[in-house]
Amino acid sequence: MKKAKETAEAVPATEPIKIKIGGKERAFDIDNPVLPDWIEDNKLTAGGYPYDKKMKGEEYEPELERLQIELVKAQAWLQATGKRVMALFEGRDAAGKGGTIFVLRQYMNPRTARNVALTKPTPTEAGQWYYQRYVDHFPTSGEFVTFDRSWYNRAGVEPVMGFCTPEQHEKFLDETPHFERMISNEGIHFFKFWLNIGRETQLERFHDRRWSPLKNWKFSPIDIAGVSKWDDYTKARDQMIERTHKEFSPWIIVRANDKRRARLAVIQRILLSLPYDGRDLDAIGKADKKIIGEGPDFLKD
C-alpha cells in the first residue's frame, strides 16, 4: 500500500470520466487502484480481438529470439548493400508502439539502427515545411530507422485535439501520398504500421501506467483528455487510412491487444519483405492472418 500511495501522490488526481462502451454508460476513475470488472473481463477480447488468451511466454520467447537473429542478419545485409529501411509506428495512446520498437531493435547495432521520437515542434520547426523535420531523420546508406509516431500526427492527434486547422488536416491527407511516393521511388524499404487496440485494452493500460511506480512517467493529462474522444480518434484513423493507403505505401494493420503476438507479427512482416542474404523462412514462420493485414478492409473485419 505504501508504494501505491507514493505512486498516487506522484501523479496529479483527475475526475472520473463518463464513457459509453457497448451501449452502457460507465464511469472510469483512474485514481481508483482497483480495475473495474468490466475492463478486466474484456481487456484482451475488446474490439473483436480473435484470441481470448494471451500468448504464453514459453512460446513467445524462443520465437522472438529466432526472429531477432534474422534481424541481425538483415542489418548485416543493409550495411553490405547500402539498402535503407524506414518503419513508422502509429496507433492510439498505449497501443504498444514503444515496446514493439524496443524488441525490434534490441539486438541490432545501434550505430546504424536508430529510433526517432520527436517532441513538440520548436518555433523554428513550426515555421518549416510540415514534413521537413522528419526528413532530417530519414535513413542514410545501410541504416534501419524507426519512427515512434511520425508526420501522421497531423492525421490523428492534431485534428482531434485542435492542434491544427481543418485546412491543414485536409492538405496533409491530400499531399502525403505524393510525399510517400517519393520515398518509395527513392528505393527505401518503407513500412507503415498501425497498432490497433480495443477500448477496454487501452483503459487497462492507462490504469497500469497510472499505478506502476516504474511506468507512471508515461501517464500524461493528454491521455485522459483523449479517453472521451475515442470516437473522434476512430473517425480520424479511418479517414487517414482510407486516404493514405496506397500500393506503394500500404498501411499494415496489426491487432495489438496481445502485445506478444503483435510484436512477432510486426517483425515477421519486415523480415518477409526484405530479400536479405541467408534469410531463413522456416525461422521466420508464416504471418498470423487473424491479427495482421492491410488497409481499410482489414480494419473493418
Side-chain angles (χ1 to χ4, degrees):
M1 290 301 294
K2 183 178 180 181
K3 287 185 178 179
K5 184 178 179 181
E6 289 173 353
T7 302
E9 290 173 351
V11 181
T14 59
E15 293 294 326
I17 297 173
K18 291 183 179 180
I19 51 180
K20 198 169 186 179
I21 297 182
K24 294 184 178 180
E25 188 171 273
R26 305 283 195 178
F28 177 55
D29 183 3
I30 201 163
D31 290 325
N32 185 339
V34 179
L35 188 68
D37 289 343
W38 58 271
I39 297 179
E40 182 66 41
D41 294 343
N42 296 288
K43 64 185 182 182
L44 182 61
T45 57
Y49 190 71
Y51 293 100
D52 58 8
K53 292 183 180 179
K54 290 184 178 181
M55 187 179 207
K56 293 183 178 179
E58 53 264 36
E59 181 183 356
Y60 168 72
E61 294 295 343
E63 189 168 345
L64 176 62
E65 184 175 352
R66 288 194 294 271
L67 294 177
Q68 289 176 325
I69 289 170
E70 292 299 305
L71 283 169
V72 173
K73 292 183 192 176
Q75 187 180 29
W77 172 76
L78 291 176
Q79 293 172 316
T81 61
K83 299 294 185 182
R84 295 163 289 174
V85 172
M86 183 162 62
L88 313 185
F89 288 85
E90 296 289 344
R92 300 180 193 266
D93 292 328
K97 299 179 288 295
T100 302
I101 291 169
F102 173 78
V103 298
L104 177 63
R105 299 177 59 249
Q106 188 173 4
Y107 293 104
M108 298 177 79
N109 185 339
R111 293 179 180 176
T112 55
R114 295 184 287 111
N115 184 51
V116 180
L118 300 184
T119 57
K120 180 181 177 181
T122 65
T124 298
E125 290 171 334
Q128 295 173 342
W129 175 50
Y130 179 71
Y131 305 94
Q132 187 169 337
R133 73 185 190 124
Y134 298 101
V135 173
D136 286 344
H137 297 277
F138 276 21
T140 188
S141 177
E143 279 195 320
F144 188 111
V145 175
T146 53
F147 279 80
D148 187 344
R149 294 197 182 275
S150 66
W151 46 93
Y152 279 101
N153 280 337
R154 180 139 293 179
V157 173
E158 290 189 20
V160 170
M161 300 303 293
F163 298 156
C164 72
T165 66
E167 292 75 19
Q168 288 173 323
H169 180 214
E170 176 61 29
K171 182 180 179 182
F172 174 86
L173 294 174
D174 183 54
E175 291 185 346
T176 294
H178 301 289
F179 173 64
E180 292 177 353
R181 182 180 286 278
M182 289 190 289
I183 295 172
S184 176
N185 289 346
E186 180 61 19
I188 296 173
H189 292 276
F190 182 45
F191 301 89
K192 299 190 302 189
F193 291 101
W194 176 268
L195 303 187
N196 204 56
I197 57 172
R199 196 165 194 186
E200 291 93 337
T201 310
Q202 185 188 54
L203 293 174
E204 187 273 335
R205 291 180 185 177
F206 281 164
H207 188 270
D208 181 54
R209 289 179 178 183
R210 168 68 177 85
W211 289 98
S212 168
L214 294 175
K215 294 185 285 187
N216 60 51
W217 60 270
K218 292 184 176 182
F219 186 73
S220 70
I222 201 167
D223 291 336
I224 289 298
V227 167
S228 60
K229 295 182 178 292
W230 178 272
D231 292 339
D232 294 331
Y233 274 113
T234 299
K235 181 179 178 181
R237 176 204 64 187
D238 292 350
Q239 186 179 25
M240 173 190 80
I241 291 174
E242 184 71 38
R243 296 276 296 274
T244 62
H245 175 67
K246 304 295 179 182
E247 183 178 354
F248 53 84
S249 61
W251 273 106
I252 304 162
I253 312 298
V254 182
R255 293 172 177 150
N257 286 10
D258 181 353
K259 293 179 181 180
R260 289 172 176 170
R261 287 189 173 94
R263 291 167 182 176
L264 297 178
V266 165
I267 299 174
Q268 281 180 319
R269 177 56 183 257
I270 292 173
L271 292 172
L272 290 171
S273 303
L274 300 177
Y276 59 92
D277 296 334
R279 185 172 64 171
D280 186 341
L281 293 177
D282 289 334
I284 297 170
K286 295 182 179 179
D288 183 349
K289 294 183 179 180
K290 291 182 180 180
I291 67 166
I292 187 167
E294 290 188 4
D297 291 341
F298 187 76
L299 197 61
K300 295 171 184 175
D301 286 347

